[in-house]
Amino acid sequence: MAPLFLRMRLCLGGALVLAMTGCATPGSAKKTSPANGPEWLRDGIALGLPLEDPLQLSPSTQAYLGKKASVGDSERSRMHSLVRYLVDRDGLGFRYAHTRTLNAQAAFEAREGDCMSYAMLYVAAARSAGIEVHFVRITELPIYWEDRGRFFTSSHIAVAHGADTWGENAMVVDYTATHTSEWRFSLYTPIDDETAFVLFHSNRAVEFLLQDRLAEADRLLTYLLEHAPEVPEVYNNLGIILMREHRMQEATELYGQAIERFPGFVPLYSNAVSAAAASGLPDLVKLWRAAGQQVAKRDPAFSFAQGMLSFHDRDFSVAAGHFAQALQIQPDDLTLLAWAARAHLSAGDLDHGRQEVTRIQQQSPSEAQRALLNALQHEFPAAGIQLPDVPSAVKASPNPPAPPPGPA
């Protein structure tokens, strides 16, 4: 996953925000296995639900990875050795696979998976060698992107070693490693294994949703909501399932409960507004929109989603206003600038559209910048948009790989 705060393809769509989790690793609070995992996990498996132990490794794989994580004279150096083995081409060569959430054993065999898969594999391997690692999560800097008309938010999770993250031997293994030194350890909040397991299975439910397996996603999320520790992603994603099943009133009630419990979780407001509007509750739409705007003062997600709703309804000038609000929080984000330009140009406001295009052109040259400008150029030929030259290093690699996972 490339380390962009906002990763949204330049395409038209609705405005539902699916909550997915990024990189993950298990907590030091308690180690779990199929034999002694959380009761809700064991019971759900017995009921035939698509639940499993995310840290599952066969004995042979556990022994093999345990050896790979045993190279070095300190836990820190052993963690570095494990990172190198997992990502190097002459090792496992793990590859990122979008929205493919696998348990540790499956990720090892496939040699790919999403950030959650990588983290589960890393933690299971590290613990096989006796290395103490735990989950840490960044909630202040989520990642957003849009795909096929649906909006995702990915809470960023990484693997930590050391109880005091400011300690000399502390370290974080983060799949988007280029950010770890800048984000600072203080942004990472520890979570335990059980919460990580809930997030793992919430991701699984999102996969079912994207495959139009609504009944399976509904059953899984409903079970998590009723039996597992409460996390906002479960409420958020179940609400989307209910809306897809045209159960708007139930979705509205669920989002009301979720907002009361998790008032700072931005995606809830965008989806709650959609549910309330579909339920014919304008007063509630007004209430939640106002509340979301307050939250949006610290996070661009709500304003962006509202902009997409307006764009979808062809209210291009209104959409441009929402994108402008998001840009006040994240003024240099290429994708936000591109959407703002598209909204202005779609509204026939060439002057403001060209201003946003100029801001994009002033960014450091990159393939992402060129792709966005190229899309705008083709859609709005009358705007006279020019493409900047791309450095030879970028030209040589039209699809540069995401930065490899590594320790901070």
Side-chain angles (χ1 to χ4, degrees), residues 22-345:
C23 315
T25 16
S28 57
K30 54 181 177 181
K31 300 178 182 179
T32 57
S33 70
N36 62 6
E39 183 178 358
W40 61 264
L41 181 60
R42 300 195 308 270
D43 291 346
I45 292 173
L47 290 171
L49 290 167
L51 294 164
E52 60 187 284
D53 175 16
L55 299 179
Q56 174 187 341
L57 281 180
S58 69
S60 59
T61 303
Q62 189 176 36
Y64 178 77
L65 290 177
K67 291 181 180 179
K68 296 296 181 181
S70 298
V71 179
D73 55 4
S74 68
E75 288 194 321
R76 187 181 178 91
S77 63
R78 289 157 65 194
M79 290 181 71
H80 277 280
S81 295
L82 179 58
V83 169
R84 286 192 291 269
Y85 168 73
L86 291 180
V87 303
D88 284 354
R89 291 183 178 180
D90 58 352
L92 188 66
F94 187 89
R95 303 177 302 273
Y96 176 75
H98 176 56
T99 63
R100 190 179 186 199
T101 302
L102 304 172
N103 67 36
Q105 181 66 36
F108 175 78
E109 294 174 357
R111 300 188 175 208
E112 68 176 22
D114 58 11
C115 291
M116 178 74 78
S117 308
Y118 174 81
M120 291 299 173
L121 176 58
Y122 188 92
V123 171
R127 289 183 178 176
S128 296
I131 302 174
E132 293 289 339
V133 290
H134 59 275
F135 286 110
V136 287
R137 181 181 188 184
I138 292 180
T139 55
E140 290 88 346
L141 298 173
I143 299 169
Y144 301 96
W145 71 96
E146 190 273 345
D147 178 58
R148 294 187 296 175
R150 302 185 180 107
F151 296 92
F152 297 79
T153 177
S154 175
S155 303
H156 194 81
I157 303 176
V159 185
H161 166 67
D164 181 3
T165 51
W166 290 102
E168 181 179 353
N169 294 318
M171 65 181 289
V172 170
V173 175
D174 191 325
Y175 198 87
T176 52
T178 55
H179 276 318
T180 49
S181 61
E182 298 173 6
W183 287 356
R184 311 285 290 180
F185 283 131
S186 61
L187 293 177
Y188 290 98
T189 302
I191 60 173
D192 60 20
D193 284 12
E194 192 168 3
T195 300
F197 285 11
V198 175
L199 294 172
F200 176 91
H201 288 98
S202 180
N203 273 24
R204 276 286 176 81
V206 170
E207 290 185 43
F208 294 153
L209 171 61
L210 297 178
Q211 297 165 9
D212 291 324
R213 297 160 62 183
L214 298 184
E216 292 173 85
D218 188 335
R219 189 180 178 209
L220 178 55
L221 289 170
T222 298
Y223 180 82
L224 291 175
L225 187 65
E226 294 175 351
H227 300 280
E230 289 191 338
V231 297
E233 287 85 348
V234 173
Y235 283 87
N236 188 71
N237 295 340
L238 180 56
I240 293 175
I241 298 293
L242 294 174
M243 285 192 281
R244 285 283 298 274
E245 295 175 333
H246 307 290
R247 297 157 63 185
M248 300 302 181
Q249 185 61 41
E250 292 177 64
T252 302
E253 293 174 0
L254 181 65
Y255 281 124
Q257 297 171 21
I259 288 173
E260 183 177 351
R261 288 174 171 82
F262 307 102
F265 193 69
V266 176
L268 291 172
Y269 294 94
S270 299
N271 294 336
V273 166
S274 295
S279 299
L281 300 170
D283 290 342
L284 201 53
V285 169
K286 182 178 180 180
L287 175 65
W288 281 340
R289 181 168 283 145
Q293 292 290 356
Q294 290 300 312
V295 177
K297 290 179 179 179
R298 296 180 293 105
D299 193 305
F302 183 81
S303 293
F304 178 81
Q306 293 299 296
M308 290 300 296
L309 277 172
S310 298
F311 194 98
H312 183 68
D313 291 337
R314 305 187 66 80
D315 292 332
F316 300 123
S317 296
V318 174
H322 288 302
F323 294 141
Q325 290 176 352
L327 282 166
Q328 289 178 4
I329 303 167
Q330 225 161 268
D332 298 322
D333 184 84
L334 283 173
T335 309
L336 277 178
L337 288 169
W339 272 107
R342 191 183 189 198
H344 283 302
L345 294 172

Side-chain angles (χ1 to χ4, degrees), residues 314-397:
R314 305 187 66 80
D315 292 332
F316 300 123
S317 296
V318 174
H322 288 302
F323 294 141
Q325 290 176 352
L327 282 166
Q328 289 178 4
I329 303 167
Q330 225 161 268
D332 298 322
D333 184 84
L334 283 173
T335 309
L336 277 178
L337 288 169
W339 272 107
R342 191 183 189 198
H344 283 302
L345 294 172
S346 296
D349 188 349
L350 293 182
D351 289 341
H352 284 98
R354 286 170 177 153
Q355 289 177 17
E356 304 297 1
V357 168
T358 298
R359 292 174 64 184
I360 298 172
Q361 293 169 330
Q362 291 171 345
Q363 300 284 336
S364 299
S366 67
E367 186 60 29
Q369 176 204 51
R370 189 175 182 84
L372 290 168
L373 289 172
N374 186 60
L376 291 168
Q377 182 187 64
H378 279 80
E379 188 171 359
F380 306 101
I385 298 171
Q386 300 296 315
L387 301 183
D389 292 331
V390 179
S392 57
V394 176
K395 291 180 181 178
S397 178

